[in-house]
Amino acid sequence: MGLTFTSQKETKMKGTELIKTKKHYEILDGLRGVAAISVVIFHFLEMVYTDYSKNIFAHSYLAVDFFFCLSGFVIAYAYDDRIEKIGVGEFLKSRLIRLHPLVIIGSILGLIGYFLFPYGDIANRSIPELLLIFVCSLLLIPLPIMKERYGNNFGLNAPAWSLFWEYIINIVYVLILWRLPRRVLLLLTFLAAIVLAYASYNTRGLVGGWGGDTFWDGCARVSYSFLAGMLVYRFKWIIRTKLGFLGLTILLIPAFTYPFNSEWNFLTEPIIVLFYFPLLVALGAGATTSSKTKKICTFSGNISYPLYMSHFFAIWIFGTYQNIYKFSGFSLFAVVSLCTLIMISIAYLTMTYIDAPIRNYLAQKRNSS
């Protein structure tokens, strides 16, 4: 076994590579925010309608597959040509700095929500057991033991299940995927599509991955969509279009709101994930935004991840009040709309005053070391 030494000059070069910025795909950022808002609305309505056919945003859990596809495109675009220069360690540090502060913030908010508004019999848990759940949440270790929270892999912050798989696929990317030629990636994507279709058939749709019973569905979902996003970049399947942010938003939302049919979801949902989402990523990468919508896209993209990772404590709180007041009709519309706006505001404040300062501090420490 040989030892590799890195000179101070080489270390500085790695730091320079890390802070290089590339063109931002503003419309893709904006669409990520639209998808995150759809997830929030879906989760609020999920507390009202156990019958998903009554939930207008019933397919919004597919936003996770859209996120994975976006991630594959963006990671390949940002790192394919510089992994060799920065190295595995620096890539993983970069991803930890980008992702993990909000994992911690979401866990803390979930713990606060636990004490302020106990849901069901959760208040009967012992302190050691709760501490174990909290530590696992902080470290992104799946622990589906909270039956009163539907067996979520991450009981304090349910959406963290997708971050677990994002971490896994990032590790696989930096160790293996970036090295692979396009033909091999194409073959892997085809195989992943077969696995995804099987998972959908087995679970009657692509709703799985968040709980212990469907844990491996998360692997199927991230594997295909991340690889598909990589292929869009690698093969330059970028479609020039004048649709703009509004036009692509109009194309994206029906994927989350089309009628829910438990008999046909196993077929319609894979079609959307296998073909429609990569197409939207290709269109979004080829679209341009006007000066009027650029700010909207930037804001939407900035709050998307904080919103996704910080909203779920409020869902349990809403569920508690829903059990008491039974919101329906206009009152339900008004409450969900208000709660969504509040969560967007909390996401913005979290990003501005907690997440961004922490990430900037950690990035400075890394670059100076």
Side-chain angles (χ1 to χ4, degrees):
M1 180 182 292
L3 295 177
T4 302
F5 296 92
T6 304
S7 68
Q8 186 176 9
K9 182 178 179 181
E10 289 172 326
T11 302
K12 289 181 178 179
M13 287 175 63
K14 286 184 179 182
T16 302
E17 285 293 327
L18 280 165
I19 61 175
K20 280 182 180 178
T21 57
K22 292 187 174 185
K23 168 192 170 183
H24 274 291
Y25 289 100
E26 289 92 357
I27 289 182
L28 291 181
D29 288 342
L31 293 178
R32 189 169 63 246
V34 171
I37 292 170
S38 298
V39 170
V40 173
I41 296 173
F42 162 70
H43 282 150
F44 278 122
L45 294 179
E46 190 180 27
M47 289 292 173
V48 181
Y49 303 115
T50 55
D51 179 359
Y52 279 15
S53 65
K54 298 178 180 179
N55 186 337
I56 190 173
F57 281 85
H59 294 282
S60 289
Y61 47 78
L62 296 180
V64 172
D65 304 270
F66 184 66
F67 294 148
F68 287 149
C69 192
L70 280 174
S71 179
F73 176 85
V74 171
I75 291 293
Y77 167 71
Y79 289 103
D80 265 8
D81 60 353
R82 53 178 177 164
I83 285 292
E84 283 188 294
K85 294 179 181 178
I86 67 175
V88 173
E90 292 300 329
F91 171 83
L92 294 176
K93 287 179 186 177
S94 178
R95 299 308 292 155
L96 277 170
I97 290 172
R98 176 66 186 94
L99 299 175
H100 214 77
L102 277 165
V103 171
I104 294 172
I105 293 167
S107 299
I108 293 171
L109 287 173
L111 187 65
I112 293 172
Y114 167 89
F115 283 115
L116 291 180
F117 292 88
Y119 190 84
D121 63 354
I122 190 172
N124 295 326
R125 292 193 175 274
S126 66
I127 295 300
E129 188 177 29
L130 182 60
L131 182 61
L132 173 63
I133 293 170
F134 181 58
V135 170
C136 286
S137 185
L138 292 175
L139 299 178
L140 268 188
I141 301 172
L143 190 66
I145 65 172
M146 300 175 75
K147 294 181 180 179
E148 73 281 5
R149 291 198 171 183
Y150 311 122
N152 278 301
N153 287 323
F154 297 90
L156 293 180
N157 194 26
W161 75 267
S162 62
L163 265 294
F164 170 82
W165 288 112
E166 179 73 18
Y167 272 38
I168 296 298
I169 201 66
N170 277 204
I171 293 170
V172 174
Y173 168 82
V174 74
L175 295 179
I176 301 172
L177 295 179
W178 76 272
R179 304 173 184 272
L180 300 179
R182 295 190 303 180
R183 287 179 296 177
V184 177
L185 278 178
L186 195 59
L187 175 61
L188 287 178
T189 308
F190 177 74
L191 294 175
I194 295 174
V195 175
L196 184 78
Y198 173 76
S200 180
Y201 177 79
N202 191 51
T203 316
R204 310 309 295 174
L206 291 175
V207 69
W210 51 268
D213 293 342
T214 60
F215 174 79
W216 290 107
D217 285 16
C219 182
R221 294 174 70 179
V222 73
S223 296
Y224 173 78
S225 291
F226 189 90
L227 287 169
M230 286 188 67
L231 286 183
V232 173
Y233 171 71
R234 288 280 187 91
F235 281 90
K236 307 302 179 188
W237 290 333
I238 295 174
I239 304 172
R240 303 297 173 188
T241 177
K242 295 182 180 180
L243 283 171
F245 173 62
L246 179 59
L248 286 168
T249 296
I250 292 172
L251 290 179
L252 176 61
I253 289 179
F256 306 142
T257 59
Y258 75 95
F260 189 90
N261 188 314
S262 57
E263 293 184 6
W264 290 101
N265 286 340
F266 81 96
L267 182 61
T268 59
E269 291 182 351
I271 289 173
I272 289 171
V273 173
L274 292 173
F275 305 108
Y276 193 56
F277 285 161
L279 173 63
L280 288 180
V281 171
L283 288 168
T288 56
T289 181
S290 66
S291 57
K292 294 180 180 178
T293 58
K294 185 174 181 178
K295 290 183 178 180
I296 297 174
C297 288
T298 300
F299 175 82
S300 180
N302 285 342
I303 60 98
S304 60
Y305 181 45
L307 178 62
Y308 182 74
M309 286 299 288
S310 68
H311 78 277
F312 213 80
F313 80 99
I315 302 300
W316 298 114
I317 295 172
F318 170 78
T320 301
Y321 284 107
Q322 172 62 24
N323 285 337
I324 299 171
Y325 296 106
K326 308 296 182 184
F327 302 116
S328 63
F330 180 77
S331 65
L332 177 63
F333 171 80
V335 170
V336 170
S337 298
L338 178 61
C339 288
T340 302
L341 290 173
I342 290 172
M343 294 317 302
I344 291 173
S345 300
I346 290 175
Y348 176 77
L349 294 173
T350 300
M351 174 199 71
T352 304
Y353 296 106
I354 303 176
D355 179 44
I358 290 174
R359 287 191 287 113
N360 291 337
Y361 171 78
L362 292 174
Q364 290 172 3
K365 292 288 288 183
R366 179 194 60 188
N367 293 332
S368 64
S369 61

